[in-house]
Amino acid sequence: MTPLRPLRRPPRLVPGDRVAVVAPSSPVDPDRLHRGCAVLAGWGLDVVVGRHVLDRDPDEPYLAGADAHRAGDLQWAMSDPSVAAVICARGGSGAARLVGQLDWAGLSAAPPRVFVGFSDVTVLHEAFASRLGLVTLYGPMAAAATFAGERPDDPTREHLRRTLFEPETVQVLRAEGAAGAAQGVAQGVATGVTVGGTLSVLCQGVGTPEGRPARGGIAVLEDVAEAPYRLDGMLSHLLRSGWFDGVRAVALGSWEGCATDAGEAVARRLAILDVPVLVGLGFGHGAPQVTIPLGVEATLDTDAGTVTLHRAALA
């Protein structure tokens, strides 16, 4: 099995660049969308919204419109040469239904551009990595609570802005607190390529063409509103499937809505790997929410509580 390698970096953004907002998953709150787009426009970006972003499927109301429409918006945004970045409006459910409907030959022929999202969008990060060889950003979305809720998180917004425009200023990601190592878990320093996302979505990808094992990687994991037994079961599934075989290190983000000690419990479950495990890195569904580039080489250091990118995420 070939170890993960660094992927192709899309260009960073500059004022005046066009950014497309799409909804590949669940329905979008119009007020949040408006606020999020206003923030992006305030950064000097030309914001365009996909035709079907505010749709809702009448038969399956957990989806932001029909599969064909959501896929069409994503295809347009990822292939239109005038678009420099694609930012998802929100996650939820349904992104996996689009992978088989996209014209991958057309996407492969298009210039690389920035792609941002998290949660259910994990499946698209995996697909763009495996099929397009593209670095993507696991970060806040245009209509997500941390970015555009009634009480948005300013550090979350600023970290995304710097990642998009000044990526060399955010190459060192720090865990919360003085120490980032979990008790009873291997500590140390390890280098690998960042891979991962939402734990439950990664589990669903095992056995699919886009599901990539973490060999040679730094696995970044987080989830939301999951019971302890569910987290344990998902970790056991990834361990038994071989997803973790050859992983170099693990970085754990927020476990919003899970048990208070969910991060430490996940770290203990992964102690069997005997690789460095960093907790509290602050990415995922909680706030503040740092933006994690996927597909870049980085070094994890549990003593320092850091993940340091070897190069800026965007060229």
Side-chain angles (χ1 to χ4, degrees):
M1 189 181 300
T2 304
L4 295 171
R5 298 181 182 276
L7 302 178
R8 180 175 48 149
R9 298 181 302 159
R12 70 185 64 197
L13 300 188
V14 297
D17 275 344
R18 173 164 289 182
V19 172
V21 176
V22 299
S25 305
S26 291
V28 176
D29 180 280
D31 291 337
R32 284 190 183 180
L33 178 67
H34 176 76
R35 287 193 293 266
C37 289
V39 171
L40 297 173
W43 294 349
L45 297 170
D46 175 20
V47 183
V48 292
V49 177
R51 291 177 56 193
H52 301 284
V53 165
L54 293 177
D55 285 3
R56 183 184 293 264
D57 191 308
D59 299 318
E60 296 168 304
Y62 55 86
L63 297 175
D67 290 353
H69 291 163
R70 300 194 330 277
D73 279 0
L74 183 58
Q75 183 79 38
W76 155 73
M78 289 295 294
S79 57
D80 188 315
S82 73
V83 173
V86 180
I87 300 180
C88 296
R90 64 159 295 187
S93 181
R97 297 170 61 139
L98 307 188
V99 176
Q101 299 200 27
L102 296 173
D103 172 13
W104 289 103
L107 294 181
S108 296
R113 77 275 323 273
V114 178
F115 178 79
V116 185
F118 73 103
S119 194
D120 176 60
V121 177
T122 295
V123 68
L124 296 177
H125 287 294
E126 286 288 276
F128 294 150
S130 62
R131 292 177 177 264
L132 304 180
L134 188 65
V135 166
T136 55
L137 302 179
Y138 193 82
M141 297 176 281
T146 53
F147 192 81
E150 293 183 0
R151 291 182 294 276
D153 184 70
D154 288 337
T156 294
R157 289 177 169 178
E158 177 61 12
H159 197 272
L160 176 61
R161 188 198 66 79
R162 291 171 64 188
T163 304
L164 294 174
F165 291 92
E166 307 160 6
E168 67 282 344
T169 69
V170 284
Q171 287 182 232
V172 180
L173 309 173
R174 298 187 181 277
E176 300 170 2
Q183 294 296 320
V185 176
Q187 301 185 28
V189 179
T191 295
V193 175
T194 53
V195 61
T198 299
L199 176 60
S200 55
V201 182
L202 291 169
C203 280
Q204 295 167 10
V206 171
T208 66
E210 296 75 31
R212 300 177 305 139
R215 178 176 296 275
I218 295 176
V220 298
L221 305 174
E222 62 88 25
D223 217 316
V224 60
E226 291 287 1
Y229 77 92
R230 286 266 303 163
L231 294 174
D232 184 84
M234 289 185 281
L235 292 169
S236 296
H237 180 65
L238 290 182
L239 286 164
R240 295 182 63 234
S241 72
W243 190 86
F244 282 111
D245 290 357
V247 71
R248 304 265 176 85
V250 179
L252 302 177
S254 64
W255 302 88
E256 190 76 5
C258 302
T260 303
D261 65 344
E264 289 74 14
V266 170
R268 289 193 300 271
R269 183 69 181 93
L270 296 179
I272 190 174
L273 297 172
D274 195 30
V275 300
V277 178
L278 182 68
V279 298
L281 194 55
F283 63 93
H285 289 73
Q289 178 184 8
V290 302
T291 300
I292 297 281
L294 299 176
V296 299
E297 190 170 40
T299 294
L300 179 148
D301 185 333
T302 58
D303 290 336
T306 57
V307 172
T308 302
L309 310 180
H310 291 193
R311 292 202 298 175
L314 306 179

